[in-house]
């Protein structure tokens, strides 16, 4: 049983350490979380995203996307999303419920992207449009399509699945002090 | 560029091969998909689940859960969910949109579970209930809490992120014949 999983403060710190590392290290299992949004017609949508930054002081988790993607339309309709992380090494699942702020065409963020990464933003027709052949699309980087999704943490649900199970919920309402839940 | 990613039928077959393997092999990256549901108050919830079976002929994907878990309440309110898979080896993302049928207390499914697995169903207080200490819960296996979530595929969105990108959508409406989308 890992020591950090038995203390609310240690578990919180451990989670943010992992999230921070997940943003910085492409090899971290936390680098590619699932990003779930409410479907436009109900139900739920989910896709893999790349975690770009994690700030323990601002309680933000940031990913980037194309303004023409379905998730942007979904977030305009309902800005509440969940970022889901699973770290098999530490047996830790993190469910980060966030409220998403969107920033499109940020010059500074665009400057920091390599040429390859820029290819993910822009293109014709827009992602998700029906096309007649598998390669009937064109990728042209477009800064005005690049969109930062800044997730402001509302609550973090941490589940530890080690020899014993532990579950804690940290909510914005109580300053993320945390409380234990039955796992 | 992988050959199977350029042909609608081959891509469909490859996806089901991977899903089938994901259910059978605990080491497959498809063994633990994200399971996204609509939140009770809006937004979206997501958690990691274990893929128990995948039937290409019935177009079903099955996972198991505790009847007392939040996702069951969420599915009662809205049975539409998404199972999200990511296979880093083949650069393939699968988004399976399903309509979930729930079967609680299935004797045959219960018989097939080992003693360790049974511990995941049942327990007091119910999962997600606030508790005063990290270990203030009791796990007692209860067959009447074991719930099969049988996801009936409505559509499968396959995204290949190899040297070139490919995206195809297979819908129940057209017998899963498939159509190309801009990636």
């Amino acid at each position: 049983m890992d020591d950090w999983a038995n203390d609310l403060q240690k578990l919180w710190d451990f989670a943010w350490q992992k999230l921070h590392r997940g943003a910085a290290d492409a090899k971290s299992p936390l680098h590619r979380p699932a990003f779930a949004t409410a479907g436009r017609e109900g139900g739920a949508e989910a896709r893999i995203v790349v975690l770009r930054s994690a700030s323990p002081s601002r309680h933000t988790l940031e990913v980037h996307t194309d303004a023409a993607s379905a998730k942007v339309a979904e977030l305009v309709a309902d800005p509440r999303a969940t970022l889901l992380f699973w770290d098999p090494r530490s047996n830790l699942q993190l469910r980060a419920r966030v409220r998403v702020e969107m920033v499109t065409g940020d010059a500074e963020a665009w400057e920091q992207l390599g040429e390859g990464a820029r290819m993910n933003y822009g293109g014709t027709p827009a992602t998700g449009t029906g096309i007649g052949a598998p390669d009937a699309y064109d990728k042209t980087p477009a800064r005005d399509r690049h969109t930062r999704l800044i997730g402001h943490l509302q609550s973090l649900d941490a589940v530890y699945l080690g020899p014993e199970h532990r579950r804690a919920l940290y909510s914005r309402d109580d300053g993320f002090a945390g409380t234990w839940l039955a796992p």
Side-chain angles (χ1 to χ4, degrees), chain A:
Chain A
M1 170 99 211
D2 292 288
D3 178 51
W4 51 262
N6 257 331
D7 180 281
L8 285 171
Q9 184 64 48
K10 279 185 192 162
L11 177 49
W12 173 255
D13 292 343
F14 187 83
W16 276 104
Q17 213 179 82
K18 285 281 171 184
L19 291 168
H20 196 258
R21 169 112 198 173
D25 178 3
K27 292 208 170 111
S28 159
L30 288 83
H31 191 59
R32 290 174 179 274
F35 186 83
T37 47
R40 291 298 301 282
E41 319 286 334
E45 298 288 342
R47 73 290 284 164
I48 300 293
V49 294
V50 171
L51 183 66
R52 297 295 178 184
S53 74
S55 166
S57 57
R58 280 170 295 167
H59 305 123
T60 54
L61 297 167
E62 182 168 334
V63 305
H64 294 174
T65 191
D66 183 329
S69 68
K71 63 178 140 343
V72 167
E74 287 155 16
L75 289 166
V76 166
D78 186 339
R80 291 167 297 179
T82 289
L83 280 155
L84 172 66
F85 303 86
W86 167 243
D87 183 17
R89 275 172 260 173
S90 54
N91 289 305
L92 183 65
Q93 170 183 270
L94 297 174
R95 296 163 70 177
R97 297 186 188 94
V98 297
R99 182 168 285 270
V100 179
E101 172 194 359
M102 293 193 268
V103 178
T104 295
D106 185 306
E108 199 178 319
W110 187 253
E111 284 309 314
Q112 288 168 12
L113 293 176
E115 210 171 316
R118 287 184 185 175
M119 296 290 278
N120 295 316
Y121 315 99
T124 316
T127 175
T129 309
I131 52 179
D135 59 352
Y137 66 91
D138 175 55
K139 284 283 179 200
T140 311
R143 192 186 102 184
D144 61 357
R145 293 261 293 274
H146 174 265
T147 304
R148 297 169 60 199
L149 304 179
I150 307 165
H152 297 273
L153 191 68
Q154 305 301 304
S155 71
L156 183 72
D157 183 326
V159 179
Y160 169 73
L161 295 171
E164 293 183 41
H165 296 184
R166 296 289 181 262
R167 185 172 179 185
L169 180 69
Y170 302 87
S171 297
R172 177 167 290 272
D173 299 342
D174 69 351
F176 301 110
T179 178
W180 295 109
L181 302 183

